[in-house]
Amino acid sequence: MVAEKSGKRLNSASELELLCEEIKRSVSARTRTVTICCGTGCLAYGGTKVAQAFRDEIKSRGLESEVEVKTTGCHGFCERGPLVVIRPENILYQRVKPADIPQVIDETLISGRVIDRLLYTIPGTKEKVTYEHDVPFYKKQMRLVFGANGYIDPTVIEDYIGCGGYAALSKTLFEMKPDEVVDEVKKSGLRGRGGGGFATGAKWQSTREAHGDPKYVICNCDEGDPGAFMDRSLMEGNPHAIIEGMVIAAYAIGAHLGYIYIRNEYPVAVKHAEKAIAQAEAMGLLGENILGSGFSFSVKINRGGGAFVCGESTALMASVEGRVGEPRAKYIHTSEKGLWDQPTVLNNVETLANVPLIINRGAQWYSSIGTANSKGTKIFSLVGKVNNTGLIEVPMGITLEEIVYGIGGGIPKNKKFKAIQTGGPSGGCLPASKLDMPVDFDELTRAGSMMGSGAMIVMDEDNCMVDIARYFLSFLEGESCGKCVPCREGLKRMRQILDRIISGQGQPDDIELLENLSETLTWGALCGLGGGAANPIMSTLRYFREEYEAHIIEKRCPAGVCKPLISYNIINEKCPNCTLCIKACPVGAITGQGKKLPVILDQVKCTKCGACYDVCRLGAVEVR
Ligand SMILES: Cc1cc2nc3c(=O)[nH]c(=O)nc-3n(C[C@H](O)[C@H](O)[C@H](O)COP(=O)(O)O)c2cc1C
Ligand code: SF4
Ligand code: SF4
Ligand code: SF4
Ligand code: FES
């Protein structure tokens, strides 16, 4: 068994190659593999119990030599979890429960029949889809970086090696000089996936050329954006790809020590990263004299406390050093003076996971994907008011429309699309007129938003854009480290102005005041948190100004969200007096004196909880 080879040190490129071949042979000896997603989303739905039920049932039937049961990281389609994929056919079963397992084994694994009730159903057409690659959510994706998640057990290094893992490292160490690695990454056009979109090759080159020894490589897995979970899922599902990327970066810049900075709220990611480091060290793929090449590099894990600002490069480095996680001015780049004032490369998880692909398949191949200045694919977390939520990986240049409708399946309950918020809390809200826009670093910035780390939140007609701007602003206000005045004071004042607008106390010059403060904040803030904090306001003012005006001038919230500006009313012509709302009202604000008399809603008693609106099936309760 290949598993017995775990821990055996590999001392050359050819030993790695031989092991890879051996693993491939042992995999093809089995006829079937059942992969069960045990990413954090599917774990919450009971993925572990499903996996255990499979293992118990396969064992009790003596099928272990024919069927391999494998737990994997996130497959992306989290809202349908726990997901089970039967390979090689790639039959996808969704929302699987432990009680379903005997039937899956009898019917699908033994008799070759598909179980209809466990298949994904396309909401509009009600069509059942058998194979993973035919599900619309997956069909338009290009899963170059994220795809391996669905095939490998992240706690078993042989799974990664069997898929060609660490071959890029071997090629780097034995066939390329450090300068050639930097050149290849430069030619690929790879830009950092952590937010700024900085050219990775150029960053590596300046760190390589910087004076100072030692040098460091840091992987940023802080991921504090609300709604984002790309980095967590990559670290949980394929930690070796990130480690491989880190060793390649270290070889290119001449570093011998690296850190993975992971927020402590990601326990599975921390556990898998720790295990991956230990396995890679035991097999000579990390640590002293990697693969017998003479090159050494070690990786340590540093747990972050969960402050959003600690994802910022200088704050992160301060935190690793054991100081307070506050940003500093970057007159001198971290590539020259970073961790402990030494030259440091800081890259995002997804950036590093792209590196083995580039080395294996070449810069030319990589740069053929994407747009002129944004190459490769991007992983996004697609959440909010969209039918298919989850993680998607798409080529740069895909339009927002293809993402929201083609992959996301459109807006639930046939509601109208209103906006998409991209780029995390410092990103912007783009309206329906931007749906045909190709998604890449530069287009998003031009439109007043940004790529950020890749969170995408879809909003429908029921979202109030002033309320949304206030939400992001108050998130950033809470996360501001308070070091500089424009951010510490500016965010508070801007939030107070938004508070009064949504409470009906808005003043005629509030919009101008917000614009002035936004400009001061953008130019005066010390770090990117404050520097981008005005984006939610500026983008909503740019595309949804009339909503601000309705709140300030007409004292009206067009989306019916801001409570002080709305009232619930009963349209008596539509109401047959079914009494549902009377029973639902928690404060007794609705009364009805018998079948023939109208239902009355007392505005003084009403607390605007919305329960009557939610229960009325006839649309007889309206929000004004
Ligand atoms: C407030 C703030 C939070 C950030 N959070 C993250 C984060 O969680 N993960 C990340 O990779 N980059 C984050 N960044 C960007 C990093 O500062 C840095 O640019 C990035 O890690 C560099 O990696 P890249 O070149 O691979 O993108 C953040 C920046 C700011 C200003
Ligand atoms: S901009 Fe905000 S988060 Fe950044 S240093 Fe200033 S106060 Fe701190
Ligand atoms: S909004 Fe809530 S409190 Fe007001 S009438 Fe309806 S159920 Fe009662
Ligand atoms: S739930 Fe609707 S239809 Fe029924 S009594 Fe209330 S307003 Fe009328
Ligand atoms: S956690 Fe299972 S699909 Fe995302």
Side-chain angles (χ1 to χ4, degrees):
M1 283 290 290
V2 175
E4 285 161 20
K5 296 219 177 273
S6 254
K8 184 173 174 248
R9 196 183 157 86
L10 301 167
N11 292 309
S12 65
S14 55
E15 282 185 27
L16 174 68
E17 243 172 83
L18 281 173
L19 177 62
C20 176
E21 290 309 315
E22 196 182 330
I23 294 167
K24 280 184 184 154
R25 273 196 303 278
S26 85
V27 170
S28 59
R30 288 211 179 87
T31 50
R32 287 279 184 47
T33 303
V34 176
T35 55
I36 300 129
C37 178
C38 282
T40 293
C42 287
L43 283 180
Y45 287 127
T48 318
K49 286 187 182 145
V50 173
Q52 196 51 51
F54 259 115
R55 290 207 169 97
D56 293 345
E57 201 71 23
I58 295 281
K59 191 172 175 196
S60 73
R61 294 168 191 234
L63 291 171
E64 290 137 299
S65 57
E66 290 155 57
V67 181
E68 182 179 18
V69 179
K70 192 178 282 202
T71 50
T72 70
C74 173
H75 297 201
F77 207 6
C78 313
E79 62 139 333
R80 295 274 150 181
L83 298 182
V84 170
V85 184
I86 295 163
R87 305 197 194 277
E89 300 91 335
N90 296 332
I91 296 166
L92 170 69
Y93 288 146
Q94 42 116 56
R95 296 194 175 150
V96 180
K97 296 183 201 67
D100 297 322
I101 309 314
Q103 192 190 359
V104 173
I105 292 174
D106 286 337
E107 293 207 18
T108 308
L109 292 179
I110 296 176
S111 309
R113 283 195 302 271
V114 170
I115 304 166
D116 260 25
R117 71 181 174 85
L118 294 176
L119 295 177
Y120 171 72
T121 310
I122 300 175
T125 60
K126 303 287 171 219
E127 185 194 337
K128 298 261 180 196
V129 186
T130 304
Y131 304 108
E132 187 184 38
H133 46 266
D134 287 334
V135 172
F137 177 78
Y138 290 115
K139 235 177 173 174
K140 291 200 169 174
Q141 295 194 41
M142 189 185 256
R143 294 161 69 86
L144 300 176
V145 178
F146 196 50
N149 265 38
Y151 288 82
I152 59 175
D153 180 339
T155 64
V156 179
I157 191 170
E158 287 80 5
D159 268 19
Y160 183 64
I161 294 173
C163 292
Y166 288 107
L169 173 63
S170 172
K171 181 176 171 185
T172 302
L173 296 178
F174 295 104
E175 296 172 31
M176 298 171 86
K177 295 193 179 76
D179 279 338
E180 289 171 341
V181 180
V182 171
D183 276 351
E184 195 69 4
V185 175
K186 274 170 83 178
K187 271 191 251 158
S188 74
L190 176 66
R191 292 172 68 174
R193 305 308 199 227
F198 198 80
T200 306
K203 189 189 268 189
W204 289 15
Q205 182 167 24
S206 42
T207 318
R208 175 167 173 70
E209 287 167 358
H211 295 290
D213 185 42
K215 294 178 181 179
Y216 298 103
V217 173
I218 305 180
C219 167
N220 192 343
C221 187
D222 191 51
E223 198 170 53
D225 298 17
F229 52 111
M230 301 75 61
D231 295 346
R232 185 195 78 203
S233 298
L234 268 180
M235 189 61 82
E236 285 178 2
N238 196 359
H240 286 288
I242 298 146
I243 292 171
E244 188 176 7
M246 285 182 80
V247 191
I248 296 169
Y251 175 77
I253 67 155
H256 300 290
L257 180 59
Y259 290 86
I260 303 179
Y261 189 88
I262 316 184
R263 61 176 43 228
N264 208 26
E265 293 104 315
Y266 284 0
V268 180
V270 172
K271 194 168 107 194
H272 288 186
E274 279 171 350
K275 192 154 193 174
I277 290 170
Q279 289 174 342
E281 276 177 353
M283 294 186 79
L285 295 158
L286 196 62
E288 289 297 311
N289 192 17
I290 295 171
L291 284 174
S293 65
F295 178 71
S296 303
F297 178 69
S298 303
V299 173
K300 293 182 182 175
I301 290 181
N302 204 292
R303 298 180 192 210
F308 177 63
V309 74
C310 281
E312 193 275 344
S313 54
T314 56
L316 184 150
M317 289 176 201
S319 168
V320 173
E321 290 173 19
R323 295 186 289 117
V324 175
E326 276 179 1
R328 64 156 170 84
K330 282 188 271 190
Y331 307 116
I332 304 172
H333 290 294
T334 50
S335 52
E336 287 173 46
K337 281 188 186 293
L339 190 61
W340 288 295
D341 276 347
Q342 295 300 125
T344 304
V345 152
L346 171 72
N347 275 131
N348 166 262
V349 167
E350 189 183 334
T351 313
L352 289 163
N354 270 277
V355 170
L357 274 178
I358 293 167
I359 300 296
N360 273 330
R361 300 178 72 172
Q364 208 178 347
W365 164 80
Y366 189 84
S367 63
S368 69
I369 304 160
T371 60
N373 292 315
S374 301
K375 300 298 183 188
T377 57
K378 177 77 193 88
I379 304 176
F380 292 102
S381 63
L382 185 62
V383 294
K385 307 274 188 68
V386 63
N387 279 315
N388 303 329
T389 58
L391 285 186
I392 62 167
E393 183 179 352
V394 286
M396 297 276 192
I398 189 169
T399 64
L400 282 171
E401 183 148 25
E402 282 173 293
I403 291 179
V404 175
Y405 289 92
I407 296 172
I411 315 299
K413 299 181 194 157
N414 284 326
K415 295 247 175 180
K416 228 168 107 189
F417 169 93
K418 185 172 203 175
I420 183 161
Q421 208 275 353
T422 76
S426 313
C429 296
L430 303 175
S433 61
K434 293 283 173 199
L435 275 173
D436 61 353
M437 192 187 93
V439 175
D440 74 6
F441 285 104
D442 308 321
E443 290 284 344
L444 283 169
T445 307
R446 259 195 294 277
S449 187
M450 59 154 108
M451 181 75 81
S453 57
M456 282 189 166
I457 305 173
V458 181
M459 289 162 232
D460 71 8
E461 56 195 275
D462 293 337
N463 287 107
C464 165
M465 301 316 289
V466 185
D467 179 58
I468 291 290
R470 190 205 168 276
Y471 165 77
F472 286 112
L473 201 82
S474 87
F475 171 83
L476 292 169
E477 182 193 358
E479 295 292 332
S480 163
C481 79
K483 187 171 177 175
C484 63
V485 175
C487 174
R488 186 184 66 231
E489 296 303 319
L491 284 175
K492 193 185 288 171
R493 299 296 161 231
M494 289 160 88
R495 198 254 311 138
Q496 285 169 345
I497 295 168
L498 288 174
D499 274 348
R500 74 171 177 239
I501 293 177
I502 64 176
S503 68
Q505 310 297 315
Q507 292 162 15
D509 57 355
D510 273 352
I511 293 183
E512 201 186 332
L513 199 51
L514 281 173
E515 283 169 337
N516 287 343
L517 284 169
S518 292
E519 203 180 327
T520 310
L521 180 59
T522 305
W523 295 111
L526 182 64
C527 85
L529 189 150
N535 274 343
I537 293 189
M538 291 197 297
S539 63
T540 47
L541 274 173
R542 176 167 164 187
Y543 297 115
F544 303 95
R545 200 179 187 91
E546 69 288 351
E547 285 200 34
Y548 282 84
E549 288 165 351
H551 283 71
I552 296 169
I553 300 160
E554 299 165 40
K555 307 295 177 205
R556 187 174 65 84
C557 172
V561 170
C562 300
K563 285 194 176 161
L565 300 181
I566 60 168
S567 65
Y568 289 88
N569 299 275
I570 291 174
I571 311 168
N572 290 117
E573 300 78 55
K574 287 190 181 177
C575 170
N577 201 339
C578 77
T579 73
L580 274 179
C581 60
I582 299 175
K583 289 176 196 136
C585 180
V587 292
I590 309 179
T591 47
Q593 282 85 32
K595 276 273 170 209
K596 298 242 163 67
L597 292 166
V599 173
I600 294 166
L601 193 156
D602 183 342
Q603 295 294 346
V604 178
K605 278 191 186 166
C606 174
T607 57
K608 299 174 185 175
C609 72
C612 52
Y613 180 81
D614 291 340
V615 293
C616 182
R617 299 189 199 111
L618 299 172
V621 180
E622 71 166 1
V623 191
R624 270 190 223 141

